[in-house]
């Protein structure tokens, strides 16, 4: 069969492997907002304050460069999902194009990434709730939040999607409000910031990169990690009403979301107030809202960040459960985890993932600075591994298309394979930067231990079981 004939074959219009058994309850509106919410988190609302104090206005360039790499990764994922939509997403693609070991490591690493992230996020939610009810123990509010999110994930995928829709809406409204207020200050000069606000702050206060280019690049790991979670829309393929259409729309609008919610927000923040006036560890949004004179600015932002934490945990339960069930369907996790409830939800996988997250609440409360500095670093490294596997899987897919072994699709990654290698080089550069920092270096050590453990488990148990079946 020639390559031309393969390309003319109609693609399967089904959206997921029939054995997955999921019900299609996620509409375009929900997936679009999930895609937006996945790119907005506490890294922007609070973490950007530390970045501004460290590298100044050049943080905008860091987010723009990282955003371009993320877009290339998501376009590669979009082409793979158009080829074969599946709730296992990048783990299934890694298994198909890079071998079963790659799929095993990717699946379990991504599961661990979300479980670890949720342990920290739900505990953070407890601290945010304590802003209003300080007498209630943090562990109690954190556990309550986790139980509520568990219930939402067990009722229906539609309820999960609706919760995520409104969580994302709160975050979007907060950012848009800040941008509108900031533009108003710059244009009309109202509030106490009016006399000093100017776009000249982007270059006049020590230059665009006041501490030098290398210091600015050293901020890239933190910037890249702020984008973690944007890929989770790929896991909705098994439950989206029309995944090929909705996922394509979500991925194609990613540059707009990055331009508005990251580049636009940071540009406004750094224009209305000089970077030298931002305090590390304090939300830059709070500082601007307070300076403008908005009543209850701290309380408003506490609610927004609480929403961001609950959104991350809600998405984490969803993502972790779908990933571990996909592993079970491939014989790489206990068979009991592969079951579905009467509502076509992965009940055992949801419960297992949530129980592990719940156990982490206690650990985080007892030792928040030591244990979780290392366990959450698995999340960061697993994210880099996942993105790299998406790019490598896409390279392998394209090589099979060129060989006439697979049909081409209409939604193609621009500039491939050159753009694949550019994105992979950028991820490798981030890893190099991580080795130079005492804050991120331990994460690489933890990842090495985790990877070694997975390799041993695969060689001892999974590979042997596969050989016995054959």
């Amino acid at each position: 069969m020639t390559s031309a004939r393969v390309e003319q074959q109609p693609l399967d219009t089904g959206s997921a492997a029939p054995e997955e058994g999921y019900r299609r309850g996620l509409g375009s509106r929900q997936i679009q907002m999930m895609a937006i919410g996945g790119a907005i988190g506490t890294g922007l609302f609070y973490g950007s304050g530390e970045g501004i104090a460290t590298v100044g206005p050049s943080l905008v360039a860091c987010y723009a460069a990282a955003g371009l790499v993320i877009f290339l990764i998501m376009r590669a994922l979009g082409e793979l999902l158009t080829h074969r939509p599946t709730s296992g997403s990048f783990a299934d693609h890694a298994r198909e194009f890079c071998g079963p070991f790659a799929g095993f490591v990717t699946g379990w690493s991504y599961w661990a990434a979300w479980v670890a992230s949720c342990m920290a996020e739900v505990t953070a939610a407890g601290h945010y709730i304590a802003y209003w009810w300080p007498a209630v123990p943090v562990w109690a509010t954190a556990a309550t939040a986790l139980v509520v999110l568990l219930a939402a994930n067990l009722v229906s995928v539609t309820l999960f999607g609706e919760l995520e829709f409104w969580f994302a809406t709160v975050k979007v409204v907060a950012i848009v409000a800040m941008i509108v207020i900031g533009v108003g200050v710059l244009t009309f000069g109202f509030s106490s910031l009016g006399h000093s606000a100017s776009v000249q702050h982007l270059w006049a206060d020590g230059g665009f990169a006041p501490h030098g280019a290398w210091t600015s690049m050293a901020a890239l790991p933190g910037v890249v990690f702020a984008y973690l979670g944007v890929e989770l829309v790929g896991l909705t393929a098994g439950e989206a009403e029309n995944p090929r259409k909705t996922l394509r729309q979500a991925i194609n609008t990613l540059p707009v979301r990055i331009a508005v919610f990251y580049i636009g927000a940071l540009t406004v923040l750094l224009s209305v107030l000089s970077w030298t006036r931002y305090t590390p560890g304090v939300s830059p949004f709070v500082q601007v809202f307070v300076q403008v004179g908005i009543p209850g600015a701290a309380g408003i932002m506490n609610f927004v960040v609480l929403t961001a934490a609950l959104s991350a945990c809600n998405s984490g339960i969803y993502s972790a459960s779908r990933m571990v069930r996909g592993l079970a369907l491939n014989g790489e996790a206990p068979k009991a985890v592969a079951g579905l409830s009467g509502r076509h939800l992965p009940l055992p996988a949801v419960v297992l993932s949530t129980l592990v997250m719940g156990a982490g609440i206690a650990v985080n409360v007892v030792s928040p600075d030591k244990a979780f500095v290392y366990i959450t670093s698995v999340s960061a490294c697993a994210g880099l591994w996942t993105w790299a596997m998406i790019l490598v899987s896409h390279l392998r897919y394209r090589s099979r298309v060129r060989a006439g072994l697979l049909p081409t699709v209409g939604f193609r990654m621009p500039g491939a394979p050159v753009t694949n290698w550019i994105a992979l080089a950028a991820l490798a550069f981030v890893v190099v930067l991580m080795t130079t920092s005492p804050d991120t270096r331990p994460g690489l050590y933890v990842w090495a231990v985790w990877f070694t453990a997975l390799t041993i488990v695969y060689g001892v148990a999974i590979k042997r079981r596969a050989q016995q079946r054959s």
Side-chain angles (χ1 to χ4, degrees), residues 27 41 85 119 123 143 219 286 331 344 355:
M119 288 178 184
T123 304
V286 170
H344 298 270
L355 285 176

Side-chain angles (χ1 to χ4, degrees), residues 20 22 33 37 50 53 62 65 67 170 241 256 263 270 281 320 325 338 358 369 383 400 420 427 453 465:
E20 287 183 335
Y22 291 121
M33 289 304 287
E50 187 71 33
C62 291
V170 170
E241 292 175 354
V256 176
I263 311 303
L270 289 161
R325 180 174 182 260
D369 296 326
R400 293 190 188 181
N420 291 71
L427 296 182
R465 185 186 308 169

Side-chain angles (χ1 to χ4, degrees), residues 440-454:
T440 54
R441 197 181 300 123
L444 296 175
Y445 299 150
V446 175
W447 170 253
V449 173
W450 174 252
F451 186 85
T452 301
L454 289 177

Side-chain angles (χ1 to χ4, degrees), residues 44-77:
L44 175 62
F45 290 119
Y46 269 98
S48 57
E50 187 71 33
I52 290 172
T54 302
V55 303
S58 60
L59 187 66
V60 176
C62 291
Y63 271 100
L68 175 60
V69 174
I70 298 304
F71 174 65
L72 293 176
I73 294 169
M74 290 301 294
R75 281 299 298 261
L77 177 60

